Amino acid sequence: MACAPAITRFERLARPLVLALSGGGANGAAQAGAAAELFEAGFRPDLIIGTSVGAWNGAWMAAHPDGDGGRELLRLWVDPSVRSLLRGVVRGYVGALARGRLAAFSDSHMRRIIEQCFGVRTFADLRIPLAVAAVDMISAEIEYLEAGSVSEAVLAASAIPTVLPPVRIGDRMLADAGFVDNFGIVESLRRGARSIVLLDASVGALAGVPDRLTAMLGRANLVTKIHQRRHAVAAAAAAGVRLEILEVSAQGWVLDFAAAGEHIELGRETARAWLEAADRGVAHLPTTGRSVGVGALRRTRAHAV
């Protein structure tokens, strides 16, 4: 993995430096806000690894790794075509059961948005190397797509099982890998990362007791991600690799894209707090309960460099 030039405020992050972008559905707007803030501040990773909605944000920033690119990404997130994504999921499931479909929705709306964003761009056209996580529903293997069409890779990474249909690429049936590994930390370590910044749009506070079906589904998803992330943190610590986590998960249904504007501001505020701590030379921010919008900032240092 080649190393990008260091920016002074980020010199404490040893190279190679990976930006890992988790899945998180509609919370991807907050992740986009944080990413935009970091790139405006001069953050330049050597590699981006994206899972699920993190593949969207990662592919955009890999193609446009600067402040202007970040601001354009935020404009895309508040576009009406994105804000209306995946509405009517219950009706979609009823229709899928009645008609014997694999998923609640077709991928036509998602495909149209992705192709408008990335067109015929290939991974070779990107300015920062990118790897996009997908799981093969036939072999059960996670694959990190890094060649060929960016649009097809992002579509495959976005194919939430039962919500959107898997994407056929060759003899593979590819889907969103977030239910297997939502963070890409182990893959970052395998590729030689010495520092990792994770923008986590999936793990938030365990607030209240689930009292309805959608709340229980959301809680089950959150518990899964909490345990996945604990394993990821442990892997980074065992490897002696610094892991910085910016937690940008907002409350609310993860398939509700209508609140993108509020989520973007949460992400930007979280990133600003992290940058301010870096500028003050704070060696270790404690895990805090301080709310930032409707989420919280958490920085985990797996190893002191």
Side-chain angles (χ1 to χ4, degrees):
M1 190 192 311
C3 297
I7 304 296
T8 301
R9 74 194 310 176
F10 302 113
E11 284 180 348
R12 63 198 176 93
L13 298 173
R15 301 275 177 175
L17 167 62
V18 174
L19 175 64
L21 302 174
S22 79
N27 289 324
Q31 184 184 78
E37 195 75 28
L38 293 182
F39 278 84
E40 286 175 15
F43 181 79
R44 298 295 182 272
D46 304 303
L47 171 68
I48 299 173
I49 292 183
T51 304
S52 191
V53 74
W56 280 37
N57 291 330
W60 184 268
M61 295 313 305
H64 311 89
D66 51 35
D68 289 341
R71 287 185 288 273
E72 183 59 28
L73 176 61
L74 303 188
R75 284 192 285 271
L76 291 170
W77 266 100
V78 296
D79 187 275
S81 65
V82 173
R83 289 164 59 88
S84 63
L85 271 172
L86 306 183
R87 286 183 180 168
V89 67
V90 174
R91 291 194 304 274
Y93 276 128
V94 172
L97 289 169
R99 296 175 177 82
R101 299 196 307 259
L102 282 175
F105 299 98
S106 81
D107 64 5
S108 58
H109 187 180
M110 187 80 73
R111 181 180 290 275
R112 185 163 54 252
I113 293 171
I114 289 171
E115 289 180 349
Q116 287 172 352
C117 288
F118 303 111
V120 297
R121 184 176 279 115
T122 69
F123 281 83
D125 299 323
L126 301 176
R127 293 166 60 188
I128 293 178
L130 171 73
V132 168
V135 63
D136 185 353
M137 300 300 283
I138 297 173
S139 70
E141 297 297 321
I142 294 183
E143 302 198 19
Y144 285 88
L145 308 176
E146 52 190 332
S149 167
V150 172
S151 291
E152 284 299 300
V154 172
L155 187 65
S158 306
I160 306 168
T162 78
V163 177
L164 290 164
V167 174
R168 287 280 191 172
I169 298 180
D171 60 355
R172 298 165 295 174
M173 179 185 279
L174 299 179
D176 184 333
F179 71 100
V180 181
D181 180 357
N182 198 45
F183 303 107
I185 302 304
V186 172
E187 181 65 12
S188 300
L189 298 172
R190 190 187 71 80
R191 291 172 181 246
R194 297 305 305 155
S195 297
I196 304 167
V197 173
L198 169 63
L199 302 188
D200 181 6
S202 65
V203 173
L206 287 165
V209 177
D211 59 357
R212 60 190 186 282
L213 178 61
T214 54
M216 183 56 75
L217 289 170
R219 177 58 58 87
N221 178 61
L222 174 57
V223 168
T224 300
K225 301 306 185 289
I226 287 171
H227 284 274
Q228 284 187 17
R229 200 176 81 178
R230 286 176 182 170
H231 288 295
V233 170
V241 169
R242 185 180 190 130
L243 173 61
E244 304 269 347
I245 301 174
L246 282 72
E247 203 171 87
V248 292
S249 178
Q251 294 174 351
W253 180 233
V254 296
L255 298 184
D256 180 8
F257 287 76
E262 178 184 347
H263 292 178
I264 285 168
E265 288 310 308
L266 161 67
R268 291 186 77 98
E269 185 175 347
T270 302
R272 281 195 294 268
W274 184 77
L275 290 167
E276 288 166 4
D279 289 343
R280 292 195 306 270
V282 175
H284 177 67
L285 286 177
T287 298
T288 73
R290 183 179 73 83
S291 293
V292 181
V294 289
L297 167 66
R298 177 174 294 142
R299 175 181 178 273
T300 298
R301 192 179 186 190
H303 179 73
V305 177

